[in-house]
Amino acid sequence: MALGLRLATLLAFPFGVVLVALMQRSVLMIVLLAAAMVGVSLVERMRLARLTGSPAPLSLAAILPGFAVRLGGLAGLFIVLLGVLALFRDTSLARGLGLADAAILFGVTGFVLAANAISARIATTEVGTVMSTMNASFRQASPGGNDMGGEIIEGEFHDPEAGPR
């Protein structure tokens, strides 16, 4: 379930680009969607840092390449989709941003943030269950129950009373 939500969050922003292309919205939406992707990545990085207790270093040198890669991928998808759409109908992009653009941006970003939060909560619960099961199984096993009191020398068991085996 948690992995399914994470997969949905990976596909959400490309789905937003598909919506932008189908609705023939402004090219500026691609920049805004890429910025939203970086914002979601920063939120997830901060959440992980809070869980591990380590500081989350934020630097512009680390953010800019990530933004450039995301922008390039989303722009490439947008251009390909517009090319395919231009084969079947007349395409005319909007010149500015409107209410539909805000709905797409906030809808996709909100979905991704909510799905990541739900996925993190599910994963935390599952990890807690696995850890308690493992701890219970380790407690049941008796450590040293098979110890015969000998020594291991160079990979061979050596019992001082019986000699090497």
Side-chain angles (χ1 to χ4, degrees):
M1 176 81 174
L3 290 177
L5 283 173
R6 291 290 176 162
L7 179 63
T9 62
L10 287 175
L11 298 176
F13 284 105
F15 177 73
V17 171
V18 170
L19 283 178
V20 168
L22 288 175
M23 294 174 63
Q24 298 180 7
R25 302 307 306 165
S26 176
V27 175
L28 295 174
M29 275 299 295
I30 305 305
V31 176
L32 292 176
L33 284 172
M37 282 180 83
V38 170
V40 167
S41 174
L42 290 175
V43 166
E44 288 300 309
R45 189 178 297 169
M46 296 295 258
R47 180 181 295 150
L48 183 63
R50 194 174 339 118
L51 286 174
T52 59
S54 64
L58 298 177
S59 67
L60 195 58
I63 294 173
L64 286 179
F67 176 73
V69 168
R70 288 170 175 90
L71 180 62
L74 293 180
L77 179 63
F78 183 70
I79 291 168
V80 168
L81 288 172
L82 280 181
V84 171
L85 289 174
L87 293 173
F88 300 106
R89 64 179 183 182
D90 187 30
T91 56
S92 175
L93 297 178
R95 293 182 185 247
L97 299 173
L99 206 51
D101 298 317
I104 292 171
L105 180 66
F106 292 125
V108 169
T109 306
F111 168 75
V112 169
L113 288 172
N116 279 343
I118 292 169
S119 173
R121 185 167 290 144
I122 290 171
T124 303
T125 305
E126 288 177 356
V127 166
T129 305
V130 168
M131 289 301 292
S132 65
T133 304
M134 286 178 59
N135 286 337
S137 67
F138 283 139
R139 277 188 225 117
Q140 289 176 356
S142 59
N146 294 332
D147 189 16
M148 298 177 162
E151 298 177 1
I152 298 177
I153 300 174
E154 296 182 13
E156 295 181 8
F157 182 77
H158 177 69
D159 190 4
E161 295 175 4
R165 292 183 192 177

